[in-house]
Amino acid sequence: MAGSPEAAEEAEQGPEPAAGGAVRRGKRAAPAAAAPQPAKLSRAELYRPPTSEELTQLKETEDLFHSSLLRLQIEELLKEVTLKDKKKKKIDAFLHEINSLLSAIPETPETELTDQAWLSEGVKVPFLQVPFSVKGRFRFVPPAELKVVGSYLLGTCVRPEINVDIAVTMPREIFQDKDNLNQRYHRKRALYLSHIAQHLSKEKLFGSVKFAYMNSNHLKPILLLRPQGKDEKVVTVRLHACPTPDLFKPSRFYPSKNNVRTAWFMEQSTPKEGTTEPPTPHYNNSILCDTVMLSHLHFLSNAATDFPGMKDGVALLKVWLNQRQLSKGLGCFSGFLVSMLVAYLLMKRKIVKMMSGYQVLRSTLQFLATADLSVTGISLAKDADPSLPVLDDFHQAFEVVFVDPSGLVNLCADMTASKYHQVQLEAKRSMEILDDRMVDGFQVLLMTPKPMLRTFDHIFHLKHVSKLQGTCKKMELLNELMDRGGNYVAAALPFVVSLLARGLSQRAQLVAHSLPQIPEWPIDADPPKHKDMGPLTFGLLFVPEFAASTLEKGPQADHPEALEFRTFWGEKSELRRFQDGSICEAVVWEASTACQKRLIPEQIIRHLLKLHADIPESSICYTGALLESVIKTGKEAGGTGEEAMVSVVCSYDDLSRKLWNLKELPLTVTAVQGVHPALRYTDVFPPIPMKPIYSFHKRSKHFLLPLEEKPCPAYITPLKVICHMEGSGQWPQDKGAIKRIKAAFHLQLAELLRQQHQLVCRPAVTHTDVYKDGYVFRLQVAYHREPLILKEVVTPEGMLKYQDTEESRQLELETLHLPYLTSSLHGLQQQHPVFGSTSRLAKRWISAQLLSDSISEECVDLLVAFLFLHPAPFTPPSSPQVGFLRFLNLLATFDWKNNPLIVNLNTGLTDSDCTEIKNKFVASRSRLPVMFLATPKDQWSSMWTRERPSAQILQRLVLLASESLRALEEQLMDPLSDQDVKMVFRPPLDSYDVLIHLNPSQIPRLLEGVDRPVKSVSRGVVKNSSAMNILFPVVDYDPVQLYLQELRNAFDDLALFFYDKHGGEVIAVLWKPLSFQPQPFKASSMRGRKVTTLNNELVCIPNVEAILEDFEILGEGLVKSVEARTEKWTI
């Protein structure tokens, strides 16, 4: 940790779990001979009583950790991220060589600051010199002193990115009196580094010599040195130029003082009369930071002496910050800041030197979660010197306040309040996770990356940051610009964020922003401009109850706040009268469907940024709901189907009331339970009310049939509903008889619904179809003892015993488990309104990958439910898109082989249940399905994944999910790309052997395709639900599914068939490799095979040409062409 925030050590990496590669490297490198031998202990040693140290360790483990496993995991992680001694030796040698080189750099003659001709062509000054003219003279004199500062000396630097900070003290004689003014000090500092760079770049010792901005702060260039050859990745040495500590009088740099003159900054010849100069706190802070580097180092090393836990705790906190992308960029929560915070807590006795690293982590997170430094700052200064500025002075100048031991420097000067609130929210969430016994805290807190895209519900980008120049004009931020050295991004960002936070105050609990980051650059290139930092990204975390409300209610019209409200919302604000009689200012947002309501925040953001920040709509790229287009139906931009789903559920509720109240039934209906996905809000394309057009159909007596010459009628899905009949002694005890009684009930139900409610019904042996409100409900009667009767088996001895049969399992699934699952998920949808849409996106993606037949719908619903019930380390999703991205991440990263996925529906499982499930799972892993889901009602059998997916399909799913996630994150995080998110819904077909192309007019669900057809054929239905006495429409007729069934029945042993049931135009075929091995000739096994001779023996091989011909004959009228893609099957 550095000797100053400027020397902050963010050592570490992006989102990857810390140094995963290092584990493997270490293991490979160990010579085989050195395998550890088990220690031989004598009996006395084995039973020796534990030492006092061992006892305290055991006690601590018991008190602090949920399990001893957590302790071991943390110890392993710390071994991974700390620096090894061998590397330290290399680094020390490198530092010695740098030391001798720096002291040998020659002096230069004195010149004007603006005369930079003495620098060679190969080096550009790493400073944006705007305005260029400035007074003062400069010459180079070798450094007065070189000192290693920061985390390297304290032993708290963290792999894989090791940075060593060196403070290069510039001698007194190169400075003049007024160097604190108008960036003179900063420019001398930059010239000093340029001259060093010019000399070091000629040395063979270095692999690279580059410039960078310290924490992306334009006023603070630093020089980066890396060793030559294969050690280049080992270490980066950062040179910080700093003045002698007593060069400036501290009182010149109090937060209220000015050190940048307006006339100079605006390039006016004479200052205007009577203007007072504004304070420049950020500018002052940047100079002060350099003067206290060494004192910070001493302060931290005092804190770290005799405190081994500090080193570990800081390392853990750095990993924690890294995984949350909080530790790099302008205004980040750097590793240095975290070390200072730990030292503060030590000073305040919130931490004691006895504590372990884990306790330090907990105490620091606890402090961050409860203390708001943007309201009440903290200070490390011990004795109150009355001349020093007080905390209030700092609060007026900065958004977040944490004062260093000198009482002069604000360590959080560049941090926005929003960024601190994000840290605070993360700390609160982390404390909840650490206290929750159901969650693997280590995995979730320290090993799971939290990129913005998966953390926030909606994301939007400001494409061109140069537009913030206009914002500075519009918001009159000249003083801030002077203070920040012309950096309009840093000047405008806090104002833009607080503007949005105010506009979304009810809807969002956090408006966060990415940290402006500027990469390093070669010494012969011009320093990056402010606009080179790329797009700025903002993240919104919603309050689910209010995020989608269409009304923004303001103060009453005659209140003084009304004017302020009107100014804030502009012409969108209007007077409205409310039901309670009050007349108030209000803003009403246009939105009719659920998906438009989810995008009200987008309307607010675009409106406010245009009105108050002069940012045009074209510069805002809002990626909150780009993916939802794939579950929109129909040509007219309706919604994403939530409304359709609600009307289905209403119609179903009405039907169930009618069934309960049916008169004249021999037995009453005790329960009506829907099992169709639409009744739990997770049907990808919910049914739409339809009425058939007779001319498109062939009429039978009471119902319609499809016509051959017309296109296939629209697909009408039967919504399956289970009717439980009451028990009675009259029910027979024989399974055949029960089936007949149920058939009689189906006939009776149809008759009574027709008589009492005038509904059109079509009874069958196994069910009755009811046409109501344009939907078709399929009623199926259930008797609660039937599964038990199906389990009866009579043994040869005449004994009656019960065992599961395939038939009883299937019936239990349909009449018990599926209704329970549907009602549980229906309840989940009431708690989390985007659950349904997330699940629909997930199923749409699986179907688009042609895998919908290889994994059950219920399984996908449960996977998505897991994201809402166990969201740690995130909050439950409040937009379908973020839910879908986390679904892909779950598929791609969950360890299916070694862990069961426990979905705790209705919190029906306790901590001990979960442990028991895990233990049983490990014990009988080989007999269990490859994807194991446990729920409270199904803890051991994983019934929804018992048959499918197979191991190969799961492997394929994991691969597809990680590729799709990568592609989507690239698209969504790059606002300058075309953002074609549908590409992850268009699978590559080159890995399949045969493609069967279908005739579009015979695909009933063609309009559900990812890329909708340009012109669609009429399907012989109109959307209408009021008709009463109509002929019964064609139900559940999808020719493609019937064709697939025939193909699978005929060629199951030779090939696998894949299809996107939502309007796919291709069936993809994969030959099974085993069936292509020649087999001995047998007359019984000649299906699809031909005889040939191989080594003078008669053998059978698949007759591929004939099989392809069969594909066409079987699908006549449906198949357009069969395309054989590969020659894989030449024998």
Side-chain angles (χ1 to χ4, degrees):
M1 284 358 75
S4 96
E6 302 321 276
E9 161 57 49
E10 299 82 90
E12 230 168 339
Q13 78 291 14
E16 300 85 58
V23 194
R24 294 188 288 283
R25 281 201 300 280
K27 283 185 184 149
R28 229 185 346 241
Q37 298 301 317
K40 293 268 190 293
L41 293 175
S42 68
R43 227 189 129 81
E45 279 181 305
L46 265 175
Y47 296 102
R48 190 182 66 209
T51 62
S52 63
E53 202 173 280
E54 285 169 336
L55 277 172
T56 49
Q57 257 206 332
L58 287 167
K59 175 98 181 75
E60 193 184 90
T61 303
E62 195 178 317
D63 293 348
L64 277 179
F65 300 93
H66 292 329
S67 63
S68 41
L69 180 66
L70 178 61
R71 176 180 203 119
L72 296 171
Q73 285 172 318
I74 283 182
E75 283 170 6
E76 271 308 301
L77 174 69
L78 286 168
K79 272 187 215 156
E80 271 311 313
V81 296
T82 43
L83 199 56
K84 306 282 184 286
D85 288 341
K86 193 172 146 197
K87 288 256 173 73
K88 273 197 181 137
K89 285 193 182 121
K90 273 188 184 166
I91 292 172
D92 289 341
F94 184 53
L95 292 176
H96 278 295
E97 298 192 53
I98 291 176
N99 197 354
S100 52
L101 283 173
L102 282 175
S103 39
I105 294 176
E107 297 188 14
T108 64
E110 189 167 70
T111 57
E112 284 295 319
L113 257 180
T114 48
D115 167 22
Q116 294 162 5
W118 55 273
L119 267 176
S120 76
E121 287 295 304
V123 179
K124 298 275 199 311
V125 182
F127 195 85
L128 295 172
Q129 304 182 58
V130 184
F132 185 69
S133 65
V134 66
K135 292 180 186 159
R137 304 177 68 72
F138 175 78
R139 68 189 182 113
F140 183 88
V141 180
E145 154 176 57
L146 296 169
K147 206 55 181 276
V148 174
V149 293
S151 57
Y152 181 67
L153 281 189
L154 298 169
T156 54
C157 50
V158 184
R159 296 194 315 178
E161 216 177 85
I162 299 294
N163 294 320
V164 179
D165 296 291
I166 297 186
V168 179
T169 307
M170 301 180 280
R172 272 206 84 118
E173 57 260 37
I174 70 170
F175 292 105
Q176 284 102 23
D177 273 353
K178 291 195 171 175
D179 278 352
N180 55 316
L181 294 179
N182 298 353
Q183 301 184 358
R184 289 180 210 176
Y185 162 75
H186 291 97
R187 298 194 183 189
K188 286 191 173 176
R189 196 177 164 281
L191 285 166
Y192 198 87
L193 286 172
S194 314
H195 188 65
I196 294 180
Q198 181 180 326
H199 277 269
L200 297 188
S201 60
K202 300 173 188 154
E203 296 295 336
K204 291 278 184 290
L205 174 66
F206 303 110
S208 74
V209 177
K210 287 184 168 177
F211 285 128
Y213 289 133
M214 185 62 216
N215 280 338
S216 298
N217 181 347
H218 283 265
L219 296 174
K220 283 296 180 64
I222 51 175
L223 188 62
L224 307 182
L225 307 170
R226 294 191 178 90
Q228 182 66 36
K230 66 176 191 302
D231 288 341
E232 182 165 1
K233 295 275 187 299
V234 171
V235 66
T236 303
V237 173
R238 315 197 286 188
L239 298 188
H240 304 260
C242 63
T244 48
D246 53 351
L247 176 68
F248 296 118
K249 231 168 59 207
S251 58
R252 283 184 181 172
F253 295 112
Y254 287 176
S256 54
K257 295 286 175 38
N258 167 282
N259 281 300
V260 182
R261 306 288 188 249
T262 317
W264 170 79
F265 189 75
M266 302 300 289
E267 301 188 73
Q268 298 157 346
S269 49
T270 52
K272 283 193 184 141
E273 286 299 310
T275 50
T276 51
E277 295 287 345
T280 52
H282 291 89
Y283 174 94
N284 302 351
N285 206 67
S286 70
I287 297 181
L288 283 170
C289 285
D290 287 359
T291 62
V292 290
M293 265 188 173
L294 294 171
S295 65
H296 284 175
L297 175 71
H298 298 311
F299 175 74
L300 282 174
S301 62
N302 285 342
T305 43
D306 309 325
F307 186 5
M310 174 164 176
K311 197 169 112 180
D312 296 349
V314 169
L316 291 173
L317 282 160
K318 284 183 171 186
V319 175
W320 182 82
L321 286 165
N322 269 327
Q323 296 291 36
R324 282 154 185 72
Q325 298 185 344
L326 293 167
S327 61
K328 277 193 175 153
L330 184 65
C332 63
F333 207 100
S334 63
F336 164 67
L337 199 51
V338 139
S339 314
M340 291 301 256
L341 185 60
V342 172
Y344 169 80
L345 295 176
L346 183 67
M347 187 176 101
K348 290 287 180 210
R349 310 244 164 86
K350 297 256 175 71
I351 287 180
V352 290
K353 291 202 171 189
M354 293 292 294
M355 284 187 173
S356 67
Y358 175 70
Q359 283 170 299
V360 170
L361 172 76
R362 274 194 76 113
S363 308
T364 312
L365 290 179
Q366 180 62 42
F367 175 79
L368 282 172
T370 49
D372 189 349
L373 303 189
S374 65
V375 181
T376 44
I378 54 177
S379 171
L380 283 161
K382 283 235 176 52
D383 44 344
D385 177 348
S387 65
L388 283 176
V390 290
L391 279 176
D392 280 347
D393 301 339
F394 283 105
H395 274 296
Q396 280 175 0
F398 303 105
E399 288 205 322
V400 186
V401 177
F402 178 11
V403 181
D404 84 319
S406 71
L408 293 164
V409 179
N410 179 10
L411 303 173
C412 295
D414 291 330
M415 192 180 294
T416 60
S418 147
K419 189 50 68 179
Y420 183 77
H421 290 147
Q422 188 186 345
V423 174
Q424 213 180 356
L425 206 71
E426 288 289 359
K428 274 190 192 132
R429 188 83 190 93
S430 300
M431 286 310 289
E432 286 164 20
I433 289 166
L434 283 175
D435 294 334
D436 181 357
R437 289 180 164 275
M438 304 285 267
V439 181
D440 174 2
F442 173 78
Q443 189 63 35
V444 163
L445 240 55
L446 298 169
M447 302 309 277
T448 312
K450 289 190 69 173
M452 283 187 85
L453 205 52
R454 291 205 298 277
T455 304
F456 294 102
D457 297 316
H458 278 188
I459 290 275
F460 71 95
H461 308 280
L462 179 58
K463 281 197 266 201
H464 318 105
V465 286
S466 53
K467 295 283 185 250
L468 289 171
Q469 283 169 291
T471 305
C472 290
K473 266 208 191 84
K474 178 94 174 177
M475 292 185 164
E476 300 172 356
L477 301 179
L478 173 66
N479 297 353
E480 280 74 10
L481 269 177
M482 278 167 50
D483 188 15
R484 302 273 194 169
N487 184 350
Y488 50 83
V489 180
L493 187 61
F495 293 91
V496 170
V497 173
S498 60
L499 170 78
L500 295 177
R502 183 179 161 190
L504 298 164
S505 58
Q506 299 285 303
R507 302 162 190 274
Q509 49 179 325
L510 181 67
V511 178
H513 57 87
S514 63
L515 293 164
Q517 279 192 43
I518 294 176
E520 53 193 54
W521 68 96
I523 57 173
D524 55 0
D526 284 319
K529 307 250 190 324
H530 304 299
K531 64 168 193 289
D532 295 341
M533 54 156 278
L536 256 183
T537 305
F538 295 84
L540 312 175
L541 206 53
F542 291 137
V543 180
E545 300 82 56
F546 305 114
S549 77
T550 49
L551 177 77
E552 202 84 42
K553 190 175 172 184
Q556 291 202 356
D558 49 0
H559 281 205
E561 297 94 63
L563 178 65
E564 195 189 335
F565 186 86
R566 275 200 299 276
T567 329
F568 184 73
W569 290 107
E571 78 276 3
K572 289 266 188 218
S573 174
E574 55 195 32
L575 282 177
R576 290 204 162 222
R577 187 184 192 116
F578 289 89
Q579 281 173 337
D580 59 0
S582 61
I583 297 175
C584 296
E585 290 286 344
V587 182
V588 177
W589 303 99
E590 288 294 309
S592 50
T593 61
C595 73
Q596 287 166 341
K597 283 182 183 158
R598 280 199 292 271
L599 284 173
I600 287 177
E602 175 179 10
Q603 291 186 43
I604 294 177
I605 285 163
R606 288 182 183 278
H607 171 69
L608 289 177
L609 288 181
K610 198 166 165 48
L611 181 67
H612 295 293
D614 226 358
I615 294 174
E617 296 208 4
S618 56
S619 292
I620 298 167
C621 170
Y622 198 94
T623 56
L626 285 183
L627 281 168
E628 291 178 30
S629 58
V630 293
I631 53 172
K632 284 189 175 156
T633 45
K635 285 201 195 64
E636 65 282 355
T640 41
E642 284 90 349
E643 291 72 28
M645 212 89 77
V646 171
S647 70
V648 173
V649 174
C650 289
S651 179
Y652 155 76
D653 286 342
D654 183 50
L655 177 68
S656 57
R657 274 193 295 277
K658 288 183 170 152
L659 286 167
W660 282 328
N661 301 328
L662 273 183
K663 300 180 183 64
E664 301 170 32
L665 259 182
L667 296 174
T668 53
V669 176
T670 54
V672 179
Q673 294 177 311
V675 293
H676 189 271
L679 302 175
R680 55 177 184 260
Y681 299 96
T682 63
D683 194 13
V684 181
F685 293 102
I688 297 163
M690 309 241 197
K691 176 191 164 200
I693 302 171
Y694 292 173
S695 61
F696 263 74
H697 298 75
K698 193 162 75 184
R699 296 187 194 200
S700 168
K701 190 175 168 196
H702 286 298
F703 43 86
L704 303 170
L705 296 171
L707 269 178
E708 253 184 54
E709 61 276 10
K710 293 278 187 190
C712 163
Y715 182 73
I716 297 180
T717 174
L719 300 159
K720 197 163 171 193
V721 177
I722 306 285
C723 293
H724 288 270
M725 301 312 246
E726 67 177 328
S728 145
Q730 306 283 305
W731 279 97
Q733 300 302 307
D734 166 65
K735 52 186 177 187
I738 289 181
K739 284 194 176 126
R740 290 193 181 84
I741 295 277
K742 279 164 62 179
F745 266 119
H746 290 134
L747 287 163
Q748 179 103 36
L749 279 173
E751 190 53 42
L752 293 175
L753 285 168
R754 195 176 300 142
Q755 281 172 16
Q756 294 173 25
H757 300 289
Q758 293 75 49
L759 291 172
V760 186
C761 303
R762 186 175 63 181
V765 176
T766 51
H767 59 262
T768 283
D769 284 346
V770 181
Y771 179 81
K772 174 180 187 299
D773 304 331
Y775 305 111
V776 174
F777 292 94
R778 177 160 287 180
L779 307 181
Q780 187 177 330
V781 168
Y783 166 50
H784 66 97
R785 289 210 51 225
E786 188 180 4
L788 196 65
I789 293 166
L790 287 176
K791 288 181 188 180
E792 289 178 359
V793 180
V794 181
T795 60
E797 295 81 51
M799 297 281 286
L800 188 67
K801 70 171 195 177
Y802 292 96
Q803 66 184 47
D804 277 352
T805 61
E806 198 43 57
E807 199 181 359
S808 74
R809 257 206 210 118
Q810 193 52 39
L811 191 71
E812 267 186 342
L813 203 67
E814 277 182 16
T815 58
L816 287 174
H817 299 296
L818 199 49
Y820 169 74
L821 180 73
T822 302
S823 66
S824 300
L825 294 178
H826 184 286
L828 188 65
Q829 167 74 20
Q830 307 306 323
Q831 286 172 306
H832 301 286
V834 299
F835 162 70
S837 310
T838 306
S839 181
R840 292 165 55 211
L841 270 175
K843 289 186 202 171
R844 184 68 195 92
W845 177 80
I846 282 177
S847 180
Q849 308 303 328
L850 313 185
L851 296 173
S852 52
D853 290 336
S854 315
I855 181 168
S856 66
E857 282 210 20
E858 294 77 20
C859 167
V860 183
D861 284 344
L862 281 171
L863 290 177
V864 174
F866 175 83
L867 300 171
F868 287 84
L869 295 167
H870 313 278
F874 305 102
T875 47
S878 288
S879 77
Q881 180 164 295
V882 74
F884 174 64
L885 291 170
R886 287 186 206 164
F887 165 77
L888 291 179
N889 189 49
L890 174 70
L891 265 185
T893 57
F894 190 80
D895 182 359
W896 299 105
K897 184 164 171 246
N898 300 318
N899 287 309
L901 188 83
I902 301 173
V903 186
N904 197 354
L905 291 168
N906 309 334
T907 53
L909 294 169
T910 61
D911 188 22
S912 53
D913 292 337
C914 294
T915 315
E916 193 184 348
I917 290 174
K918 283 177 186 158
N919 294 343
K920 281 200 181 175
F921 170 84
V922 172
S924 52
R925 179 64 188 112
S926 53
R927 298 193 299 281
L928 297 171
V930 284
M931 183 188 254
F932 188 88
L933 306 182
T935 60
K937 287 267 195 274
D938 166 34
Q939 297 183 21
W940 315 119
S941 67
S942 186
M943 61 178 74
W944 308 113
T945 59
R946 192 186 288 131
E947 311 292 329
R948 52 201 182 149
S950 64
Q952 294 85 343
I953 294 289
L954 180 62
Q955 198 181 350
R956 173 103 179 127
L957 262 177
V958 168
L959 179 74
L960 286 167
S962 66
E963 274 306 295
S964 298
L965 187 64
R966 192 190 51 73
L968 270 179
E969 291 192 333
E970 255 175 41
Q971 290 278 342
L972 293 172
M973 283 311 283
D974 176 14
L976 304 171
S977 70
D978 57 350
Q979 296 208 314
D980 176 20
V981 289
K982 283 190 175 178
M983 63 189 237
V984 301
F985 290 84
R986 300 187 190 109
L989 295 173
D990 32 12
S991 54
Y992 296 102
D993 298 321
V994 179
L995 298 182
I996 305 175
H997 296 277
L998 306 173
N999 169 7
S1001 69
Q1002 293 302 327
I1003 305 175
R1005 308 196 209 179
L1006 193 63
L1007 288 177
E1008 298 177 3
V1010 172
D1011 299 297
R1012 310 280 149 79
V1014 188
K1015 56 177 200 294
S1016 58
V1017 285
S1018 165
R1019 294 274 168 206
V1021 288
V1022 286
K1023 287 179 188 160
N1024 172 14
S1025 55
S1026 57
M1028 295 298 266
N1029 50 352
I1030 62 158
L1031 295 174
F1032 212 87
V1034 179
V1035 176
D1036 200 14
Y1037 172 60
D1038 186 343
V1040 189
Q1041 292 297 338
L1042 301 170
Y1043 174 53
L1044 270 172
Q1045 204 44 58
E1046 289 188 6
L1047 287 177
R1048 285 181 179 135
N1049 292 344
F1051 304 109
D1052 195 36
D1053 52 337
L1054 293 172
L1056 295 169
F1057 299 90
F1058 300 93
Y1059 176 63
D1060 175 1
K1061 66 179 178 193
H1062 297 293
E1065 297 187 30
V1066 169
I1067 294 177
V1069 187
L1070 208 53
W1071 299 122
K1072 292 185 175 174
L1074 289 175
S1075 57
F1076 274 73
Q1077 289 168 353
Q1079 283 160 0
F1081 172 69
K1082 275 203 201 112
S1084 58
S1085 61
M1086 281 304 292
R1087 261 177 60 189
R1089 299 179 186 276
K1090 60 180 182 184
V1091 180
T1092 178
T1093 52
L1094 185 73
N1095 307 336
N1096 299 332
E1097 277 185 33
L1098 277 184
V1099 290
C1100 313
I1101 56 165
N1103 185 355
V1104 174
E1105 286 73 22
I1107 291 172
L1108 295 183
E1109 209 175 304
D1110 285 353
F1111 286 174
E1112 288 205 45
I1113 295 167
L1114 272 175
E1116 189 187 346
L1118 175 63
V1119 174
K1120 197 157 62 172
S1121 63
V1122 174
E1123 175 192 357
R1125 296 291 296 271
T1126 51
E1127 301 304 315
K1128 283 184 195 167
W1129 16 270
T1130 48
I1131 310 297

